[in-house]
């Protein structure tokens, strides 16, 4: 059987690609912020902050321990049963954000913990408060260490964002599904979409490698520290 | 959502568990497919001559870069396009298995490359062939070194099995949808039950893998990470 | 003649590591190669079982030319024992399995037969009670003795020792040298690269002094140590006695 492709698909797919990029970047940004807070609570949540530590831990375990699809469908199909309604895009973005926050929290935690303890002690010895020490000494180092796992997470989220087409979001997959339904050219359309994703991920990977090289600080590597 | 809703979901538990058993069958199938292909790809990446090596790296990159759900659709519509009929279940095992093979290859490659060069030298010095050295010395060590990374991969693919929903496999999420469409107020409790089931499976699985890792631990042969 | 090396050359990048090395070894003979670090001694050893491919020159083991492209190198290697500086015991296997692996997988012995043979060899190096231990559970000296047992079990025609005590703490060197000395006395053919001058003097039938990729001088230990013919040999021996003290 012969394969049939059409240039007519491109405008819609490009539109979808744009939404995929937006969903990915927004969820990564919001999720990164939330993840950073969660990570700091997990590492430094002692004493009066202990309940917050427990909450952060529970959050991370729940969102990492359950499928993204279940999270997405819960936000879109299940929450309306208790009167909470979102549009597909908002439900999707929310689920993606909360999901990646849990993963990013773990990357941040790993990075914070791999900053040598002496760095914190030196900061405290200078007279910085604990919060200042975290803010000006530990985090700037940890954020650089987190770039490689963070890059992986970005790729994961590009792929993960495809799941939200199942609740009717018209990102790349959603557009593809519509075109496929109209033209009955399922396989061909999805092949083209696969190429879109490969191209997007190639561009992102190269960009991230460039960022990583620019942010490199001598002596602050990822390997060989405990 | 009331207590009563939760109790009604309890009645549906057998159906959800039946769906979950499909997820577990998918998991078994895809891990096996991924393991076999992953080992081969890793060996090619490390030991094959350059052109084949490039092919192996290219394969792994492609299957790590295409969204899982798109791989499922491609595997579902692709064979049909060429007149080959496979069930959604088989399509899901293959699609997710190929994806997993790319990640498993990454894990095994890292492990193979972590083995000191002297191990291969000593094997060859004994008179073992190149294949023999890989078979009896390098691969056994690499597989043990891989266990930690492999535990991670288990947790990821277990959750990915729900994506088979997209091509009509009647797994646990599909069952939860049925429950919701039959009794709308049960949607949330049903979904939360599914989430709980995955939480239990994920952490029980990781616990067992951790135990296995400790049991199989050999002094001096630990993941050097 | 058991081993004959003829005009061996090896170059790494721009550096000539072996520049025409020739010597031979008779059955039952022990020769010790000495010389400064980085003069190609280890490369020479690795060329003999072709873990490193020589660029030029020929090597015979009895009547078989090892350097011939037609030779089954795995078969040859099973007849030449090799003891590494850093032991290279298989990390995932017990001492017993380390010794058994070659017997079962290369020589095709049954498991039972291999076990008996391996236990005998472990007993020979004084480690029968460590058969179940993994390499990481053994001291460096014990690991090296297991690796000698691993080589011996294959019934090699000759054993190559590549600085077998260089990676060991000083107090562990003696036990390994004692095993090697016992082997030499029992008639094993051995080619040993080492900095242990005491061992060289008392055990070797002949000493080969190598420097910068060539054999400068060779002869019986008494002659070479007492009255070296070549000024470079004398210079090396003086430096090494300064470093390690006189009689060891």
């Amino acid at each position: 059987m012969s394969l049939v492709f059409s240039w007519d698909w491109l405008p819609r797919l490009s539109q979808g690609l744009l939404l995929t990029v937006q969903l990915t970047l927004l969820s990564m940004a919001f999720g990164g912020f939330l993840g950073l807070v969660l990570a700091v609570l997990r590492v430094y949540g002692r004493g009066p902050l202990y309940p917050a530590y427990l909450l952060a831990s529970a959050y991370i375990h729940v969102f990492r321990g359950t499928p993204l699809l279940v999270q997405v469908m819960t936000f879109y199909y299940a929450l309306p049963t208790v009167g909470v309604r979102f549009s597909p895009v908002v439900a999707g973005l929310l689920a993606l954000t909360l999901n990646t926050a849990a993963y990013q929290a773990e990357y941040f935690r790993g990075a914070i913990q791999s900053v040598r303890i002496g760095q914190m002690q030196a900061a405290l010895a200078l007279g910085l408060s604990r919060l200042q020490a975290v803010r000006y000494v530990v985090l700037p180092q940890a954020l650089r260490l987190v770039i490689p796992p963070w890059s992986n997470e970005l790729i994961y989220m590009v792929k993960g964002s495809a799941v939200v087409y199942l609740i009717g979001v018209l990102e790349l997959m959603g557009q593809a599904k519509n075109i496929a339904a109209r033209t009955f050219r399922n396989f061909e359309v999805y092949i083209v979409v696969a190429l879109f994703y490969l191209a997007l991920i190639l561009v992102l990977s190269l960009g991230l490698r460039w960022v990583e090289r620019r942010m490199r600080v001598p002596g602050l590597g990822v390997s060989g520290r405990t | 959502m009331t207590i009563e809703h939760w109790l009604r979901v309890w009645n549906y538990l057998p159906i959800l568990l039946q769906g979950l058993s499909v997820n577990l069958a998918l998991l078994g199938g895809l891990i096996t497919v991924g393991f076999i292909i992953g080992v081969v790809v890793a060996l090619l990446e490390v030991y094959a001559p350059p052109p084949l090596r490039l092919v192996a790296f290219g394969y792994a990159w492609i299957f790590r870069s295409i969204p899982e759900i798109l791989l499922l659709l491609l595997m579902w519509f692709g064979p049909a396009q060429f007149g080959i009929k496979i069930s959604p279940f088989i399509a899901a095992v293959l699609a997710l298995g190929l994806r997993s093979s790319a990640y498993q290859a990454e894990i095994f490659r890292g492990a193979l490359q972590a083995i000191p060069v002297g191990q291969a030298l000593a094997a060859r010095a004994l008179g073992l062939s190149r294949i023999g050295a890989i078979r009896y010395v390098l691969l056994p060590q690499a597989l043990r070194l891989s266990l930690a990374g492999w535990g991670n991969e288990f947790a990821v693919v277990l959750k990915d099995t729900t994506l088979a929903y997209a091509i009509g496999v009647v797994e646990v999420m599909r069952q939860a949808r049925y429950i919701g469409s039959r009794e709308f107020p049960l949607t949330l409790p049903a979904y939360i039950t599914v989430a709980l089931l995955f939480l239990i499976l994920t952490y029980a699985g990781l616990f067992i893998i951790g135990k296995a890792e400790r049991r199989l631990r050999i002094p001096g042969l630990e993941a050097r990470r | 003649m058991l081993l004959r090396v003829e005009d061996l050359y090896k170059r790494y990048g721009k550096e000539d590591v072996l520049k025409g090395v020739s010597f031979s070894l008779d059955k039952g003979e022990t020769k010790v190669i000495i010389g400064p670090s980085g003069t190609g001694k280890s490369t020479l050893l690795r060329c003999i079982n072709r873990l490193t491919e020589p660029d030029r020159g020929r090597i015979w083991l009895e009547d078989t030319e090892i350097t011939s492209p037609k030779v089954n190198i795995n078969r040859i290697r099973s007849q030449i024992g090799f003891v590494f500086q850093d032991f290279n015991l298989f990390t995932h296997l017990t001492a017993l399995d380390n010794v058994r692996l070659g017997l079962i997988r290369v020589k095709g012995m049954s498991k039972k037969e291999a076990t008996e043979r391996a236990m005998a060899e472990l007993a020979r190096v004084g480690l029968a009670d460590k058969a179940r231990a993994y390499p990481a559970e053994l001291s460096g000296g014990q690991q090296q003795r297991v690796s000698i047992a691993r080589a011996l079990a294959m019934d090699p025609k000759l054993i190559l020792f590549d600085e077998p005590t260089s990676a060991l703490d000083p107090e562990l060197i003696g036990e390994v040298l004692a095993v090697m000395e016992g082997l030499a006395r029992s008639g094993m053919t051995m080619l040993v690269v080492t900095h242990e001058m005491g061992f060289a003097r008392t055990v070797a039938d002949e000493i080969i002094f190598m420097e910068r990729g060539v054999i400068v001088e060779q002869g019986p230990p008494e002659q070479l140590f007492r009255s070296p013919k070549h000024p470079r040999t004398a210079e090396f021996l003086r430096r090494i006695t300064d470093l390690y003290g006189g009689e060891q």
Side-chain angles (χ1 to χ4, degrees), chain A residues 1 61 64-67 69-70 73-74 77-78 81 103 159 165-166 173 186-188 190 194 197-198 201, chain B residues 61 64-70 73-74 77-78 81 103 159 162 173 177 184 188 191 195 198-199 202-203:
Chain A
M1 195 162 186
H61 280 110
R64 281 166 50 100
T66 56
L69 177 69
V70 175
M73 305 239 306
T74 303
Y77 291 118
T81 65
Y103 285 90
K159 300 198 292 167
Y165 95 89
L166 286 169
M173 283 296 295
N186 285 287
F187 185 60
E188 293 93 327
Y190 291 129
Y197 276 108
L198 289 177
I201 283 182
Chain B
W61 181 76
R64 274 184 286 121
S65 301
I66 297 178
E68 291 72 10
I69 208 150
L70 180 52
L73 291 169
L74 284 170
F77 290 112
Q81 184 82 22
Y103 282 92
K159 289 174 282 179
T162 52
M173 207 50 217
R177 282 279 273 156
F184 182 63
L188 187 58
Y191 286 15
F198 272 98
L199 273 179
T202 299
Y203 287 102

Side-chain angles (χ1 to χ4, degrees), chain C residues 10-11 30 47-48 68-69 80 93 97 103-104 112 134 153 163 167 171 208 223:
Chain C
K10 178 70 189 177
R11 153 182 286 231
T30 295
C47 281
I48 291 174
S68 153
I80 302 178
L93 299 177
D97 282 328
L103 295 176
I104 297 174
K112 184 166 169 286
Y134 285 100
E163 302 199 25
E171 73 272 18
I208 296 174
Q223 180 216 311

